[in-house]
Amino acid sequence: MNRMIRAAAAQIAPVFDETGLGTAGKICRTIADAAQQGVQIIVFPETIVPYYPYFSFIRPAFRMGAEHLALYDRAVVVPGPVTEMVGAAARAAGMVVVLGVNERDGGTLYNTQLVFDATGDLILKRRKITPTYHERMVWGQGDGAGLRVVDSAVGRIGALACWEHYNPLARYALMTQHEEIHCAQFPGSLVGQVFADQMEVTIRHHALESGCFVINATGWLSDGQIADIAGDPALEGPLRGGCFTAIVSPEGKLLAEPRREGEGLVIADLDFGLIAKRKRMMDSVGHYARPELLSLLHDRRPARTVHYRDDPPEGVEPDSLQDRT
């Protein structure tokens, strides 16, 4: 008997407040609302908590210092108050939650994806491996340790953020781990219609190539928020369009009407029988692969800035010791 689960992709606007907790509260309310509609997994947009750094797209680096520091002050520490809030909301709803946050670790911010199981436990924390273009002035780089697929209450979940989907080897790393649900996150309200068009091609292609479902969430900015961020009508254009919140089947089909404007949920029922139906024809990491010709080297060791070598135990030569943290 095929499994069926109900999934949602959330297109919402952030809350710009002094604490940075306003968006997290909105996330928790959205989880509770989705639970009333029978949703078992929900995906939120890229770095929605506290907000995506739209300022970095329209301001030169030497003028964005104050806004960058404000993002530091409001960023998420993992674990911390935000993960406690969202974990509790996931547990109360019995829902798997995939959330994008600006994570602060010491003196660096990261574009981080968090996966909470239906128990409220945090089962994956991964960082975007290569921030894109303007984002490199905001975030540090992630590592291969986060390119993992995890088991959850609804199935095997993998996640990538935005233009990581243009890195075919990163996508293949998740394919090799047999993801059943791929969670994609984009900022939304950026670049214009061309961004939304490219996004649709990208997520539908990954669904076909991986033979999995894709749940894609993009953010949204109201007219007032755009005006506040831009501070100049001439800079508002780049902060419009680029929204395509959608759910795609393993056959590349849209399972519900995508959301291109405004806030709301896209909801669809996922029939896991479609995964086998697709992979019977084309399994990229199975019968359609040629590993003797082409294979992937994936370094899953966490990146470390220090390696400690302690004094050797008595009678043990130093060269016999291995680096350890």
Side-chain angles (χ1 to χ4, degrees), residues 291-312:
E292 76 281 13
L293 303 178
L294 302 165
S295 61
L296 171 67
L297 173 62
H298 177 186
D299 187 347
R300 291 174 61 164
R301 294 171 296 180
R304 293 171 178 160
T305 55
V306 61
H307 297 268
Y308 296 101
R309 189 180 291 276
D310 294 340
D311 292 333

Side-chain angles (χ1 to χ4, degrees), residues 46-59:
E46 182 179 13
T47 63
I48 188 66
V49 180
Y51 47 81
Y52 179 84
Y54 292 100
F55 60 83
S56 64
F57 190 63
I58 59 173
R59 302 201 191 289

